[in-house]
Amino acid sequence: MFTSYFIKHMTYTKATAFSPEQQEVARIAKVLSHPARIAILQHLAEAKTCISGDISSALPLSRTTVSQHLTELKNAGLIKGEIDGLTVCYCIDQETYDKARQLLEGMLAAIKSSCCTDTCC
Amino acid sequence: MFTSYFIKHMTYTKATAFSPEQQEVARIAKVLSHPARIAILQHLAEAKTCISGDISSALPLSRTTVSQHLTELKNAGLIKGEIDGLTVCYCIDQETYDKARQLLEGMLAAIKSSCCTDTCC
DNA sequence: GAAGTATGACGTAAACATACGACATGGTGT
DNA sequence: ACACCATGTCGTATGTTTACGTCATACTTC
């Protein structure tokens, strides 16, 4: 790609320079990095029945914005939605969710301060 | 605030409309939402001694950009840095880190698909 | 004090994220 | 066919993040 020679600031492109695991963890964290998406996940978990699109009525956001967040959650595989006539049933995709959770928690568990015995910090 | 009456699109402001816990979880996830910050945390965890600012040499990023990520991690309280003469010692702030980890994992554990028995999904 | 080195702060450009109104789509019911 | 309803898509305005070069600061060493 000769074009890359002319790119001055490779904004946002450096993410690909890290390990696949680091990218994957960051990707999962990004999905969880907005309170609305946390709220949606919690709402779906609490709901006893499949929830249609009136999730927006339970949130301080417009239907359009909620739909956008739902799309992101769906793209990440954390939830799945199937059309049921007039409404769409959104549910947590437990399989993908558990995998994502496992990957994230595994990374978090591996982070442990190994320095700072007494000389510094 | 009368000014709010004139704000057409309240971009990015709706985050405050969610619960403090949802905001906090999202804030933690946001810090972890970039592979560079994951890499920095892992690097600090693996390092046996306190690491100075040459973290950038271990990463595919410029020193300036790494410094920016370090600042974000520091603002979040996940790491701490103390000046030691010419260099700065960056370490994981185990106490804050553990709290953040606990909050995040607690939220993740509470998410469980409760619908979709057989009728849908 | 001057030179050298390591660091953070400032400024800037490009890409992305957020939020919403308006429109298009597609099934329901009359 | 027609109106109705719930949903997704598109366009747009605004704010935030990412990435880097350049400068200012501060400590060390000669």
Side-chain angles (χ1 to χ4, degrees):
Chain A
M1 300 288 185
F2 292 146
T3 53
S4 60
Y5 281 90
F6 303 100
I7 298 172
K8 201 174 178 182
H9 292 254
M10 296 187 285
T11 318
Y12 270 73
T13 61
K14 285 301 181 64
T16 54
F18 295 91
S19 81
E21 198 218 0
Q22 288 164 344
Q23 291 183 50
E24 183 64 11
V25 169
R27 200 180 63 83
I28 294 166
K30 196 168 209 168
V31 179
L32 304 173
S33 71
H34 197 283
R37 290 191 285 271
I38 303 287
I40 288 172
L41 285 174
Q42 289 177 337
H43 190 76
L44 288 177
E46 283 168 20
K48 292 205 183 64
T49 59
C50 269
I51 280 293
S52 75
D54 55 4
I55 303 173
S56 58
S57 64
L59 298 178
L61 292 171
S62 77
R63 198 186 54 75
T64 314
T65 306
V66 171
S67 178
Q68 220 167 308
H69 285 304
L70 283 168
T71 304
E72 263 187 85
L73 287 165
K74 203 172 174 183
N75 286 339
L78 296 186
I79 65 172
K80 55 185 174 181
E82 293 201 358
I83 297 167
D84 179 34
L86 203 66
T87 59
V88 175
C89 154
Y90 278 114
C91 304
I92 290 161
D93 190 334
Q94 203 65 44
E95 197 178 339
T96 317
Y97 177 85
D98 287 343
K99 275 185 194 168
R101 185 186 157 197
Q102 202 173 332
L103 183 63
L104 189 58
E105 292 187 353
M107 188 280 297
L108 287 171
I111 305 292
K112 236 168 216 139
S113 178
S114 57
C115 74
C116 303
T117 46
D118 52 346
T119 50
C120 72
C121 299
Chain B
M1 302 287 185
F2 292 148
T3 52
S4 59
Y5 282 91
F6 302 101
I7 296 173
K8 199 174 177 184
H9 291 255
M10 297 188 282
T11 317
Y12 271 72
T13 61
K14 285 301 180 64
T16 55
F18 295 91
S19 81
E21 198 220 0
Q22 288 165 343
Q23 290 183 51
E24 182 66 10
V25 169
R27 201 181 62 84
I28 295 165
K30 196 168 209 167
V31 181
L32 304 174
S33 72
H34 197 284
R37 292 193 284 273
I38 303 289
I40 288 172
L41 286 174
Q42 289 177 338
H43 190 78
L44 288 175
E46 284 168 20
K48 292 205 182 65
T49 60
C50 269
I51 281 291
S52 74
D54 54 4
I55 304 173
S56 57
S57 63
L59 296 178
L61 293 171
S62 78
R63 197 188 56 75
T64 315
T65 306
V66 171
S67 177
Q68 220 166 311
H69 284 304
L70 282 167
T71 304
E72 263 186 87
L73 287 164
K74 202 173 175 182
N75 285 340
L78 296 186
I79 65 171
K80 55 186 174 181
E82 293 199 356
I83 296 165
D84 178 33
L86 204 66
T87 58
V88 175
C89 156
Y90 278 113
C91 306
I92 289 161
D93 190 334
Q94 203 65 45
E95 199 177 337
T96 318
Y97 177 85
D98 287 343
K99 274 184 195 168
R101 185 185 156 197
Q102 203 173 332
L103 184 63
L104 190 57
E105 291 188 352
M107 188 281 295
L108 287 171
I111 304 291
K112 237 171 217 138
S113 178
S114 58
C115 73
C116 302
T117 46
D118 53 346
T119 49
C120 71
C121 298

